[in-house]
Amino acid sequence: MALTVTLARVDADLAAGRVPMARQRLRGLVSSFPHDLALRRRLAEVYRLYGDPAEAGRWMYLEEDRDADETGAFEARYRTPPARMRALAWQGSEEPAPTPFAAQQLAAVRTACSQALGREVDWGDSDLPEPGDGEGRLAGFLLGAGCLVAGVAMLGIWVYGLVALVG
């Protein structure tokens, strides 16, 4: 579908109050045209309608006139450089960045990610750690242990009920 046709549908969706559909269409466009800052800006506007400053900050991260609070919310949600690099969904190198500020931001994120991982990384590397990798291991363990305890308790109740029924 052509870019202009999809943008017209986004406008129609927003006019009709179909914000989730507009967001979905814009996410698809940003995926197809990752270097188009105007699309990223429109997506940020939709996330503002949701009241989600972290996602608005995510999609405005490459803009010089970005909101500091949204940028802070984005950086708080995506705490590590690899998580930020994945979240920005850039493809290729920094060279096609439409503005010097965007190129500088992209280079800074990529450099920080390379330093964090101890090796050179590029945009689109498929072996970047997933957000949450290595984080919250105690919480994951406690969740698993809680599920195990709940399962054993349910099994015990079932066995007790079976014995009471038979006896």
Side-chain angles (χ1 to χ4, degrees):
M1 192 176 328
L3 176 63
T4 54
V5 172
T6 305
L7 285 174
R9 289 184 178 179
V10 166
D11 291 336
D13 289 335
L14 290 172
R18 295 185 304 263
V19 178
M21 181 57 74
R23 181 192 53 140
Q24 182 178 349
R25 290 184 201 279
L26 283 169
R27 289 287 302 260
L29 286 175
V30 169
S31 177
S32 297
F33 303 97
H35 305 147
D36 190 333
L37 296 185
L39 292 175
R40 289 171 176 264
R41 181 179 292 271
R42 298 250 345 240
L43 186 54
E45 291 168 4
V46 169
Y47 276 107
R48 284 187 196 107
L49 294 174
Y50 276 108
D52 190 344
E55 288 301 307
R58 172 185 181 183
W59 299 111
M60 285 293 291
Y61 199 73
L62 304 178
E63 296 282 1
E64 198 163 4
D65 64 340
R66 64 192 184 174
D67 180 90
D69 291 335
E70 291 176 350
T71 300
F74 165 69
E75 290 173 343
R77 182 174 291 170
Y78 299 93
R79 291 185 304 259
T80 65
R84 287 185 193 141
M85 193 165 172
R86 275 184 161 307
L88 288 175
W90 191 260
Q91 295 174 9
S93 69
E94 292 95 14
E95 287 182 23
T99 66
F101 182 81
Q104 177 186 354
Q105 287 298 109
L106 290 165
V109 170
R110 185 182 47 75
T111 300
C113 186
S114 293
Q115 289 172 347
L117 297 177
R119 63 179 173 80
E120 284 298 314
V121 296
D122 290 317
W123 294 98
D125 276 0
S126 60
D127 61 344
L128 290 177
E130 290 287 336
D133 281 359
E135 298 174 9
R137 289 185 182 181
L138 177 61
F141 172 77
L142 291 175
L143 179 63
C147 289
L148 179 64
V149 168
V152 168
M154 292 297 291
L155 181 63
I157 291 170
W158 184 80
V159 168
Y160 179 76
L162 186 61
V163 168
L165 182 66
V166 172

